[in-house]
Amino acid sequence: MNGKYSAEVTRAIDMIWKSFDPEEMKRGYALLEQAAERGDADALCYLARCHMGDEYVWDGGGFETDIAKASALLEESILKGSASGALCALRNESLTPFAKLDLPFGSLKEAYDEILRQARDGDAFCLYMAANVLFWGDYLVIEGEAEADKYADVDEYYAFAYPLAAELYEKSFEAGLSAGFGNYRTIYESELGDIDSDRFESYFELLADGNNPMICNDYGKYLSDEYEDCEEEAFGYYERAFGMGDVRSAYNVAVCYARGCGVDEDLDEAFRYYLTAAEAGHPRAQFAVGNFYFSGRGNVTRDYAEAFRWLCRAYDGLDEEERWEPAAELAVLYQDGLGTAQDDEMAFRLLSEIEDRVDDVWEPLDAMVLNALGVAYAFGRGVKADIARGVGYFDRAIEYGSEAAARNKARFKRSVFGLGGWKRIN
């Protein structure tokens, strides 16, 4: 089994997982390739990690996710004796089922002990991997049934493992590696890791002031959520994260400009940053861009076709709990044929998704949605006609000042004394 990482691998790890500089990361990758060509098993493992997706390497580095390539590299690293490759495969056994391989070393325990030795010597990535073994419960697989039998349930295991993992993660942070912070935060929030808020925040701030743009952005959000008087400081972290290359943090910069939080309100700057984040695939930013075009906010000219395009992208990207916001505006566009072909069935399908949340809809869209519901039910557009229910929605829309709802209601008349219900008169 390989011992201590070679100088090339150590340097490459720093370039790829500590710099967050795309060009530096590419140079680190080239170093790994050179070391791998000379038979360095650990270099093969870290090349594999570069192709395993954004859970394993910053996606700003531009490495292509290629699971087949990662699997082949990881398997080769194990066969050549990489302890790091063995632990990586244990965490991803569906990627490289090492149980089917002819291992060149005695056991996973042997691989884990090698990583622990390097961790004790202060290697940042080995500290991180050793912490992961405890955090994810791989420790029980490595140590075997006798160790697993000591814990009656999952929480009992966590009470043992989380404090040990937290200490290892902290040492990796102090050594300049931020990769384990998400797991560290989970340990803190579980209250099973003996981490008080001051200790947590000190490491959060340490990493936010480092090179990781995502943690920089997250720290700004943490300050904004936890402290009322930190809006300006939070905005500074958002801007810094964006400047370091995390285009998705542009969303938080945009929110600050849109609401005047920590910076003077500026809708045009807000739109510029929303658009940047939207083009990078941020679904809430896509909704915001769609809303700007739908409403014609700031210097953005109302453009229903652009609104429809961005709102559709937002609807597809958001989870079910958040989809109601783009659904509200899309329903109006479909019903009136604005920016897209008129489609009563699609309009009502979207309206039915938000019917129970009309009170959450913002002004002036609330009146538009209530009127749209009235149109659907009163005129039977996309649903079986229910004039009384439709008129009820018209009345609610009229309370919000909707002239369109007043005109629509005028097309129906209630029979004398209301005995015969409502009927359409034109």
Side-chain angles (χ1 to χ4, degrees), residues 17-20 173 176-178 202-217 219 237 240-241 244:
W17 282 277
K18 292 184 182 180
S19 74
F20 294 91
F173 303 155
L177 184 71
S178 58
S202 69
Y203 282 106
F204 205 166
E205 185 176 11
L206 172 71
L207 297 178
D209 289 338
N211 295 327
N212 188 325
M214 294 171 291
I215 292 181
C216 183
N217 177 65
Y219 186 62
Y237 276 103
R240 182 166 176 266
M244 288 192 293

Side-chain angles (χ1 to χ4, degrees), residues 14-26:
D14 287 350
M15 295 170 79
I16 296 171
W17 282 277
K18 292 184 182 180
S19 74
F20 294 91
D21 178 307
E23 294 306 314
E24 186 78 351
M25 292 172 73
K26 289 174 185 175

